Structure formats: structure tokens, C-alpha cells
Amino acid sequence: MIQNPILPGFNPDPSIVRVGDDYYIATSTFEWYPGVQIHHSRDLVNWRLLSRPLTRASQLNMLGAPDSCGVWAPCLTYADGLFWLIYTDVKRYGRTSTGGATGSASLRDFHNYLVTSPAIDGPWSDPVYLNSSGFDPSLFHDADGRKYLLNQLWDHRPGGNRFNGIVAQEYSVAEGRLVGRRTNIFPGTAHGLTEAPHLYQRDGYYYLLTAEGGTGWHHGVTMARSRDLLGPYELHPDVTILTSRQRPDAALQRAGHADLVETPDGQTYMVYLCGRPLRNRGTCTLGRETAIQPMAWGDDGWLRTADGSAMPALQAPAPALPEHRFAPAPVREDFDGAVLPIDFQWLRSPWPDELFSLEARPGHLRLHGRESLGSTFRQALVARRQQSHCFSAATVVDFAPEHYQQQAGLVCYYNAAKFHYLYITHDDTVGRHLRVMSSLPNHVQTDAFTLPVPLPASGPVELRVEVDEERLLFGWRAADDGPDAAWQWLPQQFDASILSDEANAPGQPNFTGAFVGMACQDMSGARLHADFDWFAYRGRAYCADAKALPSPA
């Protein structure tokens, strides 16, 4: 059986392709660097994170990009002996029309690019610029060898439809650019917010898959078909072929933004994004994740879920493929290599040497103190996805701050407006100490601080976090006291549910997910560093008394 989601934690907007016996899914990374996550499977059940292709400034530079901008909705295809990867680099999202928001909601900047590679793990080419007319681009390889770019068309004009349908335009490989006229091939349905186009050929038809209803609770997958690529397109008799809209009982919510793949024996599977809300709060701290389930083509030539329910499935039948498991990811990373472990990312910058080093102090991750937590430019924050509603994480940091503008520690982070940060700092009154800063998007007081906790004047400190759904607890101990030393727990219980898409100041975009990791700031500009010896993360079941759990390390 397939257990959904197959890609837990922040992994939205899946695009899937099969090449021989291998399956690959590309997902969005937004402001996190490197850009695009590519996962690999051979049985559609077991998956591993394989690579991130956008690794250099010529391909992606997100310095200054607002939260939830950056890389949206990649499309991964294979043709002519090459992998083709299309992606959007969003530079401005603007404020939405949510009540209470201000600013120019209509003005947004989306730039669409193409990179190619003969191998899935690269090297990937420098990008070809395509257009900036909208987002969610995808590349369709027609049977006659011609190629077409599809994307959502953005309309900023007052009183109109912001999501102004799906457009198609031919792409010339020889010229490296779009050619001919742009055609609006599908205006969308009454559900609105039409996006995420993917096109397929089958039995003399072009089948168009789109997402509608917005990427929240009303999300769904719409299908249409035409004998001609440029339309007109007729709607599926059911219009929506998969959704959890109006189904609060569904374990997987927000289902939509889908793509199709066929197994060697011709069975069709659909990948799609979904969200798993916290039971007590209804917020998705894990962001938008990726699920998969079998589909069936009917005698009428239309696609439906295999059980006919149009519902996302928490468990789904696996295809008749040999099982192919991968080694589990390590719980603890000791930073002994010259390359950052693949589960970790940083924010926006294509120049990681400005932010961190694995060579300055061998066996440690050194973070160079840079700008404040939440900066959209050079922020020394290295973190990994939260992939379970309940988890334990810990690290040890060697840090000798001289004043209050220097900070380093363990952070549970969603974006600049949503985090809980357990950090070490210094001031003349308390000396070296520990405290928590929380950024609370839906509170009257948006910045909250705990009272300082005095620390030994020097020496490494172990920091720890335990999260059980909406409950978040921080603890610490002096590393020199040894692995059997008692943990000191902060008395406060913090609200992990703010680290979600739904916890939100009015109008702000929220499309990512919760991370946990390490951070260092030096707002004086002196760039004092902090050294992290290891980092451990373990997803687990709910624990009523998380303080009694052993350290994940």
C-alpha cells in the first residue's frame, strides 16, 4: 500500500515524470535555496530526496525576495534525451485582497525559465528566459516534435479576473525562445483561480489538467479536453476530478495542483498537493505536501479516481512494481563532510560562503553572524523541514557573544513573521544568557520575549525542542556537563500552530511550511560566528510528557 503523503512536510506543486523504471517528482521550494526539490522512486511507494538542481546565481538569485516568493511550481519532463525543468522565480507577490490588507494586491512579478540536463542529478544548464505573463508554467512535448509552454495568465487590471485563464505558446528549441502568438486556451470554470496547467495526449485528445479554487480549503483538480491543442476545450462531466472541498472529514485537505504518470503496464497515477491540519487548531504546520493515488480511465474517455469518490486517499493501492526501499535518513548529522547534508537548506542567497562554512572548523557547521532573523537578504539560517506533527530536535552550539546584538541558537521557523527562536546572547546585566523570541502573526503583540536564563560564561550549550502538534517546549543543558546531565526546561509552552500557512497577518502570502534549524545573527556588523557540532531530528508519535523523552541525538 501507498501511505500518503509520500513526500511529507513542505513539498507542494508536484510534477512527476517516468524515465524507464525510475520516477521523479519535482516540488516547489519558494525562498529556500537551492531551488526545486527532486525526489526519486522506483515503486511509487518509497521515495528519497535526490537533488536540488538550481544551485548557482546564474540559475537563481532570490536576494530580497519576499516571503513565499522565489521558486513556484516547477514542471519536470523528459524528451529528446534531456530532462527539461521549467520554473517560476517570483519577485513580487503583493498584498492580497483579504479584508484588512493594504497595498497593491494586483501587481506581481513572475519570471519563467527553462533549464535542461542529460542526467537528473545534473549538471543543469544556465536558464533560458521564457516569459513573465503568469506563473505555474509547464512544457508540453507534442507527438509531432513541437513544444508548447503553458502557464496561468495574470491580469492586474481593476474589476477583472486576476487568474485570467491558461495560455499556450510554441517554444522553439532552435531559437531558444517562444514563437508565434499566445493563445488563451482555457478560461477556467466558476470555481475560479485557475492555475497549474499540465497537458497530455491520449486517444486523439489533448487533456488539460488544472487546479482551481485556490490552494487552500477549496482547492481541486479540474479536467478538460480538446481535439486541438489550442482548443476549444470541453469540461469533464464532473468538472472536478479530485478535491477535499466541502469534506471536513477528509484526512488530506487542500487537495489539488496535480500531474499524471503512467506505469509500464499503462496504469495511471496522479500526484497532487495536500495538507494535514492539526486536529486541535486546523492549521497546516507541515505546509502543502505531496500525495499520490491510482486513477482510472472510463469508457467515456474521462479520468476519475479509481474508487470513483474524487476524494484524496490516505492509503492507496500500490502498482505492481518490485519494492524498492531506500536507506532511512540519519537522525543525527555531525557535519563531518565538505557538503551540507541534503535535508538542509538556507534562505535566498546563491552565495552560501557568506553565510556558513563546513571547513572553517572541521566537524562543525559554522554560521557567520549576518542580518536579523527574517531578513530577506543575507540571513545565516540553515534548517530542515518539519515532516511530522510530532518531533524531537536538538543541537549543540559553541558561541561567545559580546553584546545583545549577537545571537545564535535553535529556531522553529516558518517565515519572517512566524517563528520561535531559542537563542544565546549577552548583555551587561545578565552576562551570557538564553531566551526565546517569538514572532506571532495573529497576536496584538507580534514580538514576545521570555525572561533571560543565565548560562555559564563560556562553553558549548545543547539546545532542544519537543513539538507535539500545537505544543512546543524548549530545553537546554551545558554540553560540558556530559550526556547524562539533566535538561533544564523553559517553563513556557509555546504555540507551534503559528508555524503554518493559516496563521497569518491579513493579506500576507503563506505557501511554505515549518522548518527547524540553526541560526546566527550579528546585527552590529562584526559577523561573529557560531559553531554547531551536530544537529538531530527525529519524527515520532505523540508523547504526553515530552520532557521525559531521551534526547534525539
Side-chain angles (χ1 to χ4, degrees), residues 394-476:
T395 189
V396 61
V397 57
D398 192 359
F399 183 56
E402 299 173 353
H403 50 73
Y404 63 86
Q405 289 182 311
Q406 296 169 334
Q407 306 169 347
L410 176 66
V411 64
C412 293
Y413 184 91
Y414 181 99
N415 65 18
K418 295 184 280 193
F419 58 80
H420 296 294
Y421 184 24
L422 176 67
Y423 65 90
I424 297 168
T425 188
H426 185 283
D427 66 31
D428 294 338
T429 302
V430 186
R432 194 170 78 139
H433 64 272
L434 191 72
R435 72 190 315 168
V436 175
M437 176 185 180
S438 296
S439 182
L440 307 171
N442 48 6
H443 290 57
V444 174
Q445 181 181 352
T446 56
D447 291 345
F449 294 84
T450 61
L451 293 174
V453 177
L455 293 175
S458 62
V461 180
E462 286 189 60
L463 304 176
R464 177 176 169 184
V465 63
E466 298 289 342
V467 171
D468 287 273
E469 300 191 359
E470 78 275 16
R471 185 186 68 200
L472 188 155
L473 304 172
F474 281 123
W476 70 277

Side-chain angles (χ1 to χ4, degrees), residues 130-153:
L130 298 171
N131 67 18
S132 301
S133 61
F135 54 90
D136 290 0
S138 69
L139 189 65
F140 173 67
H141 307 272
D142 207 347
D144 63 5
R146 298 168 76 180
K147 302 183 188 302
Y148 294 86
L149 181 77
L150 289 82
N151 62 265
Q152 177 272 359
L153 181 65

Side-chain angles (χ1 to χ4, degrees), residues 106-285:
S106 62
L107 298 177
R108 303 182 183 180
D109 295 298
F110 317 101
H111 305 311
N112 296 317
Y113 298 94
L114 163 68
V115 293
T116 59
S117 172
I120 191 65
D121 53 356
W124 291 83
S125 69
D126 278 344
V128 173
Y129 170 73
L130 298 171
N131 67 18
S132 301
S133 61
F135 54 90
D136 290 0
S138 69
L139 189 65
F140 173 67
H141 307 272
D142 207 347
D144 63 5
R146 298 168 76 180
K147 302 183 188 302
Y148 294 86
L149 181 77
L150 289 82
N151 62 265
Q152 177 272 359
L153 181 65
W154 184 254
D155 188 347
H156 69 277
R157 295 174 297 178
N161 179 11
R162 297 276 189 263
F163 289 70
N164 198 22
I166 303 301
V167 293
Q169 190 172 359
E170 187 173 358
Y171 173 72
S172 168
V173 177
E175 299 179 52
R177 66 183 183 91
L178 298 176
V179 295
R181 295 190 62 182
R182 180 179 80 188
T183 303
N184 195 321
I185 64 171
F186 184 65
T189 75
H191 290 305
L193 303 174
T194 308
E195 56 188 342
H198 288 287
L199 197 61
Y200 316 89
Q201 271 182 301
R202 180 184 176 91
D203 296 337
Y205 282 100
Y206 292 91
Y207 285 88
L208 177 65
L209 210 61
T210 66
E212 293 194 301
T215 194
W217 308 111
H218 298 287
H219 210 197
V221 182
T222 298
M223 177 172 267
R225 71 183 181 188
S226 174
R227 294 286 186 182
D228 189 297
L229 188 151
L230 298 181
Y233 281 80
E234 62 171 316
L235 281 173
H236 191 291
D238 306 328
V239 182
T240 301
I241 64 170
L242 183 134
T243 187
S244 47
R245 189 185 297 139
Q246 309 300 330
R247 291 296 300 266
D249 59 314
L252 302 180
Q253 291 290 325
R254 308 172 65 179
H257 199 120
D259 195 9
L260 303 177
V261 70
E262 282 197 357
T263 61
D265 63 0
Q267 190 173 8
T268 299
Y269 275 77
M270 184 162 71
V271 292
Y272 55 91
L273 69 78
C274 62
R276 291 179 289 165
L278 292 174
R279 294 172 296 175
N280 296 334
R281 298 295 176 92
T283 58
C284 297
T285 52

Side-chain angles (χ1 to χ4, degrees), residues 1-3 6 16 18 20-24 40-48 261 263-264 267 269 292 316-326:
M1 293 292 288
I2 295 171
Q3 182 66 45
I6 52 170
I16 190 168
R18 178 174 69 88
D21 294 329
D22 295 289
Y23 299 84
Y24 304 101
H40 171 230
S41 176
R42 303 201 78 184
D43 57 12
L44 296 184
V45 178
N46 301 288
W47 295 84
R48 62 165 173 159
V261 70
T263 61
Q267 190 173 8
Y269 275 77
I292 189 170
L321 295 171
E323 183 182 53
H324 189 91
R325 293 180 177 270
F326 298 102

